[in-house]
Amino acid sequence: KNSINQMSQKPMESKTSNNESETKKIYVIKQEVVEKKSPFFHHNTRLLKLDSTPKLEYSDPETKQVKGSIYLYTDCEAKMTSETKFEVVTPKRTFYFKLSTTDAGIWCKLINEEIYKMIENPKIKQLNESYIENEIKSLKKDKNLKIY
């Protein structure tokens, strides 16, 4: 499997509130093709992408169709279970990922760093929550998309 790693990318501008002048630059922090364990205990190959929203988005690596998003809040955590496996624990569910590389520790570090930024800086937390709230409202129109 091909590993696609990106530590920075051209930022996307997104509105974070009703205030037209307030925007947030969103960067892709890391992305890689992974195996995602489904609730039915089989694995699906997905392109996993961490961005500075912060959220994890997983999509079909062939069609690029987004299959779901995991919005990272202060009560979420990434845990490494082996060099090639990690899990993302949210209040609603735990997500399991398997890598073809030994980057599980790197994924956990980057995910947890994004979460800690919100904990340490209430302004970032408020800006992110506002952005996430607006994005979820627009995404709920797509009935096939899973949002956690």
Side-chain angles (χ1 to χ4, degrees):
K1 296 191 167 104
N2 290 339
S3 174
I4 305 170
N5 293 314
Q6 295 184 347
M7 296 309 284
S8 66
Q9 191 176 45
K10 185 177 178 184
M12 302 171 281
E13 283 195 15
S14 298
K15 293 193 179 23
T16 55
S17 70
N18 294 334
N19 181 352
E20 291 293 322
S21 65
E22 192 174 343
T23 59
K24 178 180 177 168
K25 303 231 186 266
I26 301 169
Y27 294 87
V28 172
I29 297 167
K30 184 168 178 65
Q31 65 181 12
E32 183 173 348
V33 175
V34 302
E35 296 293 319
K36 180 187 163 293
K37 187 175 179 182
S38 80
F40 305 107
F41 301 105
H42 66 278
H43 289 82
N44 295 314
T45 301
R46 297 289 179 242
L47 176 62
L48 183 65
K49 179 170 45 174
L50 171 65
D51 70 29
S52 60
T53 304
K55 83 174 170 207
L56 287 165
E57 186 175 84
Y58 49 95
S59 58
D60 183 295
E62 300 293 321
T63 65
K64 306 296 186 225
Q65 179 185 5
V66 176
K67 297 294 186 177
S69 297
I70 307 166
Y71 289 89
L72 301 170
Y73 294 97
T74 55
D75 52 359
C76 297
E77 181 183 15
K79 297 179 182 178
M80 186 171 101
T81 55
S82 78
E83 287 184 336
T84 59
K85 295 180 182 177
F86 69 98
E87 56 190 40
V88 177
V89 181
T90 72
K92 292 184 180 181
R93 172 174 170 195
T94 300
F95 296 84
Y96 302 92
F97 299 98
K98 182 179 178 184
L99 310 171
S100 60
T101 64
T102 56
D103 283 356
I106 294 169
W107 273 99
C108 292
K109 178 181 180 285
L110 293 171
I111 292 167
N112 289 329
E113 281 176 357
E114 291 304 305
I115 294 168
Y116 295 147
K117 284 179 191 176
M118 289 191 295
I119 294 169
E120 293 173 0
N121 189 334
K123 178 76 174 157
I124 291 174
K125 180 181 178 187
Q126 181 183 7
L127 199 59
N128 286 353
E129 287 175 348
S130 173
Y131 171 81
I132 289 169
E133 186 178 303
N134 288 337
E135 188 171 273
I136 288 174
K137 283 179 188 175
S138 69
L139 290 174
K140 281 189 175 179
K141 295 173 188 169
D142 183 352
K143 302 280 190 243
N144 297 323
L145 189 63
K146 297 174 190 167
I147 303 171
Y148 298 97

